[in-house]
Amino acid sequence: MSSEGFLKELQDIGEKFLLKLQKLPKAEPVEIVSFAVVLLFIVTVLVLTIIACSCCCSSCCGCDGHADPRHRKSQVRPAAH
């Protein structure tokens, strides 16, 4: 997908989201609850992704960007008999 098509798709999604927000005060309670559940799911996924990325980056690299030698993988060789 080209960048122009991707931006157009994001703009369309944003416009639909704003339209849904504008109609929300007049919506039925079921629609409000379902919208809140979907929104909560999206926020939860984003927060968990950020937490996972930050934990992954902090475990393999220090804050200065250098790899931590204590976490280096070592090769295990079979013992000679």
Side-chain angles (χ1 to χ4, degrees):
M1 179 182 270
S2 68
S3 61
E4 292 177 7
F6 180 71
L7 291 175
K8 176 70 174 146
E9 190 71 28
L10 280 179
Q11 185 178 7
D12 290 343
I13 291 171
E15 288 174 359
K16 289 178 185 177
F17 182 73
L18 287 176
L19 185 63
K20 191 72 162 171
L21 281 177
Q22 289 172 351
K23 292 181 178 181
L24 206 55
K26 302 174 201 168
E28 294 180 16
V30 174
E31 285 183 283
I32 294 172
V33 170
S34 63
F35 184 75
V37 168
V38 169
L39 198 60
L40 182 65
F41 175 76
I42 292 170
V43 169
T44 303
V45 168
L46 289 175
V47 168
L48 290 176
T49 303
I50 291 170
I51 290 171
C53 288
S54 65
C55 290
C56 177
C57 290
S58 67
S59 69
C60 67
C61 302
C63 293
D64 56 358
H66 294 89
D68 189 359
R70 291 177 292 169
H71 289 81
R72 222 181 278 165
K73 292 183 180 177
S74 60
Q75 291 183 345
V76 177
R77 296 184 184 159
H81 290 259

